[in-house]
Amino acid sequence: MNAIITASELAGDLAGENPPVVLDVRWQLSTAKAAGEPPFDGRAAYESGHVPGAVYVDLDRDLAGSAGAAGRHPLPDLGEFGAAMRRAGVFSARPVVVYDGGQGWAAARAWWLLRWTGHPDVRVLDGGLPSWQGELSVDVPARVEGDFAPVPGATGLLDADGAAALARNGVLFDARAGERYRGEVEPIDRVGGHIPGAVSAPTNDNVGRDGRFLAPEDLRDRFKALGASDGTEVGVYCGSGVSGAHEVLALAVAGIPAALYVGSWSQWSSDPSRPVAVGPDPQ
């Protein structure tokens, strides 16, 4: 099954006999702004216009646990996650399409969580809401309780020790911007740098200027050039397990399975006992 869907394909599916549940997961990373601007309000963006029938899902509340020692966006309690998905109308036997404002990170986080917990048919709208050519709606659909019950997968998830081991024995991609990987800047976490052995692979390089993914063959070539050869075990981390999910999605588009270290750099760097590498060299 393809992990992404085009806007025209989504429009056709919505008009079909078994339309997908559509989740709007608009979100932006909150950082302090010198101008004193208010933080991004995903619900307000949703209420101002969304794909008809879409249901809003809050990344910080529904797709992550409370920030702490496990990172800024740790795994949510699976009972609470399942309840949130059922409130959003997610059924185990009904397709799901997820979109965000175009960056793709938040939608990928929802895609990864649903896939990892057993949903068989989840896709991300390639290019997000800006790619949608149809009318937008301001109507909030009537609540329909779903039946999805999350069951965590046996694979696809890394902890800190697993990420460290994969950086030695497989390939561990760092999806953050190159300057954060190199430790030149660190606007959020305690210290800059990367997990020793990790390879810099900024997730922004997986998409074109329109925010849509590169062709599968181009993504495959990119990742293979970075070390993801046939038979190599692959993992990804980022700052807090959000943009890293987008890289896992890009790898899926390329046909390369990968695990996600959800705690990512926000967890790793908060532990003074964990080694930190700086500069362009993985080690």
Side-chain angles (χ1 to χ4, degrees), residues 169-250:
N169 304 318
V171 60
L172 180 67
F173 289 136
D174 184 318
R176 298 173 300 159
E179 57 268 25
R180 291 186 68 191
Y181 170 88
R182 295 187 295 271
E184 297 166 358
V185 299
E186 183 43 66
I188 306 172
D189 293 310
R190 184 184 68 85
V191 63
H194 59 270
I195 296 173
V199 176
S200 180
T203 198
N204 287 342
D205 292 345
N206 296 323
V207 298
R209 291 185 178 181
D210 59 1
R212 300 181 189 183
F213 281 106
L214 303 179
E217 57 271 22
D218 293 332
L219 289 171
R220 195 174 303 115
D221 289 345
R222 179 188 187 225
F223 290 123
K224 286 190 174 182
L226 291 171
S229 57
D230 292 342
T232 303
E233 190 176 356
V234 178
V236 180
Y237 76 96
C238 58
S240 64
V242 179
S243 65
H246 189 265
E247 185 119 303
V248 173
L249 175 60

Side-chain angles (χ1 to χ4, degrees), residues 35-270:
E37 298 175 15
F40 176 77
D41 188 336
R43 181 170 288 280
Y46 165 81
E47 292 175 349
S48 69
H50 50 265
V51 172
V55 177
Y56 177 69
V57 170
D58 187 297
L59 184 146
D60 292 311
R61 184 190 65 207
D62 301 326
L63 306 180
S66 298
R72 280 193 307 279
H73 293 103
L75 283 176
D77 175 89
L78 291 187
E80 294 177 2
F81 170 66
M85 293 300 96
R86 290 190 293 275
R87 287 195 301 271
V90 174
F91 290 84
S92 295
R94 187 176 173 188
V96 176
V97 172
V98 190
Y99 72 86
D100 57 25
Q103 188 178 44
W105 295 3
R109 172 72 176 223
W111 167 84
W112 180 84
L113 264 173
L114 283 164
R115 292 290 293 156
W116 180 67
T117 55
H119 199 289
D121 190 349
V122 190
R123 289 172 290 174
V124 170
L125 177 59
D126 195 16
L129 188 63
S131 71
W132 179 252
Q133 298 299 309
E135 296 289 333
L136 296 180
S137 173
V138 295
D139 296 330
V140 176
R143 177 177 171 179
V144 177
E145 187 79 8
D147 66 3
F148 178 67
V151 177
T155 60
L157 176 67
L158 295 171
D159 60 11
D161 290 339
L166 194 55
R168 296 189 301 268
N169 304 318
V171 60
L172 180 67
F173 289 136
D174 184 318
R176 298 173 300 159
E179 57 268 25
R180 291 186 68 191
Y181 170 88
R182 295 187 295 271
E184 297 166 358
V185 299
E186 183 43 66
I188 306 172
D189 293 310
R190 184 184 68 85
V191 63
H194 59 270
I195 296 173
V199 176
S200 180
T203 198
N204 287 342
D205 292 345
N206 296 323
V207 298
R209 291 185 178 181
D210 59 1
R212 300 181 189 183
F213 281 106
L214 303 179
E217 57 271 22
D218 293 332
L219 289 171
R220 195 174 303 115
D221 289 345
R222 179 188 187 225
F223 290 123
K224 286 190 174 182
L226 291 171
S229 57
D230 292 342
T232 303
E233 190 176 356
V234 178
V236 180
Y237 76 96
C238 58
S240 64
V242 179
S243 65
H246 189 265
E247 185 119 303
V248 173
L249 175 60
L251 283 154
V253 172
I256 302 171
L260 177 65
Y261 172 27
V262 174
S264 284
W265 191 247
S266 62
Q267 180 186 39
W268 183 279
S269 65
S270 68

